[in-house]
């Protein structure tokens, strides 16, 4: 088994200002499944094809944005190893007790140089993907809306970009897959801990700790167009798309949840192996890097975060 | 119900119909540069100050509008539903966009 260390983005905890509107958006419109609620008022959701109990936590708040993003590591030894890596990098870590999030084991919590809070954990209750493990059907029949398959990645705007990327590549063992550069300055970094085109991406910014989008995988370009239909049908504020990215090649559409957190659903992006070359886009060609067809940057897409 | 909204900075008027929020009407001015953000009260780009008129609001991010601000009529246009004619002032991002383009237009 080649995959070790950090396996994947395990969950994202998003702040929402109206819980029932948020649950309707993520469940009825996007197809996530509610798996639990806790006495802090948090609601736990998963996409249908995830085995673990939750990949999105909605937290009641008076503002929008991301509370934290958590990565699942393969073993408990990995958890302690990354804890000491992060400490040795010079960043304080905190242990959050098992069960603080329902069904999640002990978590290591820290604030990255970008200003975002990240967590690592090794254990989460598995509830399955709704299909048997013996002679499984290809998909469950009762999934709603866009039928999101899994929580895939976040794109974050943050400060201290270079130091932040050093934390992710050196201490957390992510690999750079694609980047936008302006001369010597890296403007955007796409990082992978797996064979995915990215598991997280960062944009150099002046404001710490901002969420650009939380992204979910769909099965095909046709499913992205179907998501676009749902966005119009349900009056969901559209941002950009459907279109194709140059970066990662994904086919994509962007829209906002009822608290103003941007979501993406996408399909058919590229993949990588540890021996794949890093792909570089020049800032002079940033329009095409981001929106391959129109080659035009969109103000709201570049400027609006939560 | 149709309500008339006046942007006092430029003396422009637009209308909000039915359940349209203040930003939806403003977008229909089709003025380049009106920052259309999340339209959900979370990103803060559509800040305005209500000078007069009655309105209802939906919850908006405290990161962008504090309680005292809200009491003084400083609100996010995408979360404000007019109940009468309204006059407002543009602030923040919106101010730049509205007044910059006004200068270009005139
Ligand atoms: S457009 Fe985002 S707060 Fe109004
Ligand atoms: Fe994305």
């Amino acid at each position: 088994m080649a995959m070790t260390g950090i396996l994947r983005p395990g969950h994202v905890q998003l702040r929402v200002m109206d819980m029932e509107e948020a649950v309707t958006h993520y469940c009825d419109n996007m197809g996530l499944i509610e798996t639990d609620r806790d006495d802090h008022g948090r609601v736990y959701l998963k996409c249908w094809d995830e085995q673990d109990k939750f990949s999105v936590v909605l937290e009641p708040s008076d503002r929008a944005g991301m509370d934290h993003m958590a990565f699942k590591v393969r073993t408990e030894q990995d958890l302690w190893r990354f804890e000491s890596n992060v400490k040795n990098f010079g960043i304080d870590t905190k242990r959050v007790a098992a069960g603080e999030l329902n069904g999640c084991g002990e978590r290591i919590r820290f604030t990255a140089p970008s200003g975002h809070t990240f967590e690592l954990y090794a254990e989460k209750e598995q509830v399955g993907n709704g299909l048997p493990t013996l002679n499984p059907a290809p998909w469950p029949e009762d999934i709603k809306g866009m039928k999101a398959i899994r929580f895939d990645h976040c794109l974050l705007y943050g400060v201290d970009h270079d130091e932040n990327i050093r934390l992710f590549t050196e201490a957390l063992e992510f690999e750079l897959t694609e980047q936008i550069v302006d001369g010597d300055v890296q403007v955007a970094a796409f990082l992978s801990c797996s064979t995915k085109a990215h598991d997280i991406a960062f944009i150099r910014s002046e404001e710490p700790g901002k969420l650009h989008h939380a992204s979910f995988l769909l099965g095909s370009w046709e499913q992205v167009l179907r998501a676009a239909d749902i966005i119009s049908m349900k009056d969901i504020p559209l941002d950009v798309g459907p279109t194709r990215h140059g970066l990662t090649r994904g086919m994509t559409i962007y829209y906002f949840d009822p608290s103003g957190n941007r979501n993406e659903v996408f399909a058919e992006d590229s993949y990588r192996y540890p021996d794949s070359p890093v792909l570089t886009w020049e800032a002079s060609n940033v329009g095409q890097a981001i929106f391959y067809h129109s080659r035009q940057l969109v103000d709201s897409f570049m400027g609006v975060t939560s | 119900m149709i309500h008339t909204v006046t942007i006092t900075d430029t003396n422009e008027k637009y209308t909000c119909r039915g359940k349209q929020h203040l930003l939806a009407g403003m977008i229909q001015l089709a003025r380049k540069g009106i920052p259309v953000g999340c339209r959900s009260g979370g990103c803060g780009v559509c800040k305005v100050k209500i000078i007069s008129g009655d309105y209802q609001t939906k919850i908006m991010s405290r990161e962008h509008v504090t309680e005292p601000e809200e009491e003084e009529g400083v609100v996010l246009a995408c979360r404000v539903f007019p109940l009468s004619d309204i006059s407002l002032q543009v602030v923040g991002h919106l101010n730049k966009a509205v007044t910059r383009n006004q200068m270009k237009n005139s």
Side-chain angles (χ1 to χ4, degrees):
Chain A
M1 169 53 82
M3 214 187 237
T4 57
I6 294 180
L7 295 179
R8 60 173 174 270
H11 64 257
V12 61
Q13 183 164 324
L14 298 172
R15 293 188 287 262
V16 300
M17 299 184 288
D18 182 315
M19 187 55 75
E20 289 322 307
E21 279 186 5
V23 170
T24 299
H25 173 79
Y26 285 97
C27 293
D28 295 354
N29 298 343
M30 290 179 64
L32 277 69
I33 300 157
E34 183 177 329
T35 54
D36 208 352
R37 294 191 178 216
D38 67 22
D39 41 14
H40 302 289
R42 293 180 296 194
V43 177
Y44 298 66
L45 311 173
K46 72 185 282 289
C47 299
W48 76 262
D49 205 15
E50 292 167 320
Q51 301 289 339
D52 286 355
K53 175 174 173 151
F54 62 89
S55 60
V56 173
V57 181
L58 303 176
E59 172 195 355
S61 177
D62 63 1
R63 63 201 60 208
M66 183 181 90
D67 176 77
H68 74 271
M69 179 180 181
F71 295 95
K72 189 176 196 185
V73 304
R74 190 160 161 84
T75 66
E76 207 164 281
Q77 290 90 294
D78 288 324
L79 193 59
W80 311 135
R81 183 164 67 83
F82 286 117
E83 180 187 46
S84 76
N85 285 3
V86 171
K87 281 194 173 131
N88 291 339
F89 192 88
I91 291 175
D92 286 342
T93 63
K94 206 182 109 192
R95 292 187 181 181
V96 184
E100 195 280 331
L101 279 167
N102 289 352
C104 191
E106 188 165 13
R107 288 133 61 204
I108 304 299
R109 186 175 176 97
F110 57 92
T111 304
S114 61
H116 300 91
T117 302
F118 292 101
E119 295 187 352
L120 304 172
Y121 64 92
E123 294 290 333
K124 195 182 276 177
E125 185 188 331
Q126 289 206 329
V127 297
N129 66 354
L131 300 169
T133 52
L134 186 66
N135 305 322
W139 36 264
E141 283 177 84
D142 49 355
I143 306 306
K144 293 191 225 167
M146 300 178 192
K147 303 181 196 286
I149 293 170
R150 68 163 185 242
F151 165 52
D152 191 87
H153 64 267
C154 286
L155 189 151
L156 305 173
Y157 276 36
V159 293
D160 211 352
H161 178 84
D162 301 308
E163 191 67 354
N164 194 57
I165 301 308
R166 210 166 67 75
L167 171 74
F168 271 79
T169 52
E170 291 178 15
L172 300 173
E173 300 172 359
F174 281 68
E175 288 178 52
L176 181 69
T177 60
E178 299 198 39
Q179 59 180 345
I180 305 176
V181 298
D182 189 355
D184 296 341
V185 179
Q186 185 183 61
V187 181
F190 288 65
L191 305 172
S192 178
C193 62
S194 64
T195 58
K196 285 157 61 187
H198 62 321
D199 290 290
I200 190 164
F202 290 99
I203 305 276
R204 181 185 292 274
S205 170
E206 259 126 57
E207 248 185 303
K210 289 292 182 179
L211 172 69
H212 185 274
H213 66 264
S215 182
F216 298 84
L217 179 70
L218 300 185
S220 66
W221 168 234
E222 191 263 334
Q223 293 284 308
V224 175
L225 296 180
R226 196 173 155 279
D229 295 341
I230 292 169
I231 287 166
S232 185
M233 263 186 247
K234 303 281 180 175
D235 248 328
I236 299 169
L238 173 69
D239 193 15
V240 190
T243 184
R244 181 199 281 278
H245 287 306
L247 282 148
T248 77
R249 286 187 220 155
M251 320 272 212
T252 179
I253 187 163
Y254 291 90
Y255 52 94
F256 294 95
D257 82 3
S259 299
N261 298 306
R262 192 187 281 95
N263 299 144
E264 174 188 34
V265 287
F266 78 101
E268 301 179 48
D269 62 338
S270 62
Y271 61 90
R272 65 173 290 279
Y273 289 103
D275 57 350
S276 299
V278 174
L279 306 180
T280 298
W281 296 82
E282 297 166 301
S284 56
N285 197 28
V286 66
Q288 195 184 29
I290 296 181
F291 300 121
Y292 199 76
H293 300 155
S294 70
R295 300 176 167 218
Q296 294 297 313
L297 294 183
V298 174
D299 283 350
S300 60
F301 186 80
M302 303 311 292
V304 169
T305 56
S306 65
Chain B
M1 276 306 276
I2 299 185
H3 300 297
T4 302
V5 182
T6 308
I7 305 176
T8 57
D9 312 66
T10 59
N11 231 343
E12 278 172 293
K13 291 187 197 310
Y14 64 88
T15 53
C16 281
R17 285 158 202 278
K19 288 191 181 136
Q20 276 190 323
H21 51 66
L22 282 181
L23 185 63
M26 201 182 302
I27 290 166
Q28 282 164 2
L29 273 176
R31 175 83 87 55
K32 211 173 155 345
I34 300 273
V36 182
C38 66
R39 288 150 282 164
S40 303
C43 76
V45 301
C46 64
K47 218 165 169 176
V48 298
K49 183 169 164 85
I50 310 287
I51 307 297
S52 66
D54 301 324
Y55 54 92
Q56 265 175 349
T57 58
K58 280 185 75 178
I59 190 160
M60 53 191 107
S61 167
R62 279 284 170 253
E63 186 175 336
H64 300 292
V65 176
T66 63
E67 251 168 280
E69 277 184 317
E70 193 173 339
E71 273 158 34
E72 285 172 22
V74 175
V75 288
L76 299 173
C78 68
R79 302 298 261 188
V80 177
F81 302 87
L83 299 172
S84 72
D85 290 352
I86 295 272
S87 65
L88 61 80
Q89 239 178 341
V90 284
V91 292
H93 294 269
L94 254 182
N95 185 308
K96 268 183 240 147
V98 168
T99 51
R100 177 187 63 213
N101 284 288
Q102 177 72 13
M103 285 188 294
K104 267 190 220 154
N105 290 356
S106 57

